[in-house]
Amino acid sequence: MNIKTKVKSLAIAALGMTLFAGTANAEPRTAVAKIVKMRPYSTGAYFVTLDSNLLGGAACTTTYRVNSDGAGAKTVIASLLTAYALEQSVQLEVPSGGADCEGFGTPIQSVFMSAS
């Protein structure tokens, strides 16, 4: 099995885990964007940088955060890694309520992935 086949298999598994991880609220979301950089920290924070700063149609940030100790964080990180490896676009959902855009390091609630 070559590396591309392995990555696709992992992508399918990650997408499946994402679909069955539970339901989440679906707003606000970033624009459809590509992941341009990923940076895990030893403290447990995991940062993702997109090629767009739009969140819900307004300028926000290009850098979002997943706390790796949160419930479901491993599934979110696996989905982000899969999208990054396959160079697929994503939309990130942030928690609604309060300040939707917290600037640099706005938390990620879920990841929307598409096949195109």
Side-chain angles (χ1 to χ4, degrees):
M1 188 182 288
N2 68 30
I3 190 73
K4 194 166 188 171
T5 304
K6 287 181 183 178
V7 170
K8 284 185 180 180
S9 296
L10 287 172
I12 292 168
L15 184 57
M17 290 183 346
T18 302
L19 294 174
F20 295 109
T23 57
N25 299 325
E27 295 301 331
R29 287 190 245 174
T30 64
V32 175
K34 295 271 187 173
I35 298 170
V36 295
K37 183 170 51 172
M38 299 179 75
R39 186 175 184 186
Y41 279 78
S42 62
T43 60
Y46 196 92
F47 290 88
V48 177
T49 303
L50 302 180
D51 65 358
S52 170
N53 71 346
L54 296 181
L55 174 68
C60 178
T61 183
T62 56
T63 305
Y64 294 83
R65 179 188 82 245
V66 177
N67 287 324
S68 60
D69 58 350
K74 290 179 183 177
T75 303
V76 172
I77 292 169
S79 298
L80 292 166
L81 285 168
T82 300
Y84 185 61
L86 295 175
E87 298 180 359
Q88 294 295 308
S89 296
V90 296
Q91 281 185 293
L92 304 180
E93 176 193 5
V94 302
S96 57
D100 297 332
C101 177
E102 297 177 12
F104 180 89
T106 295
I108 298 171
Q109 179 168 299
S110 69
V111 180
F112 290 81
M113 297 171 56
S114 63
S116 58

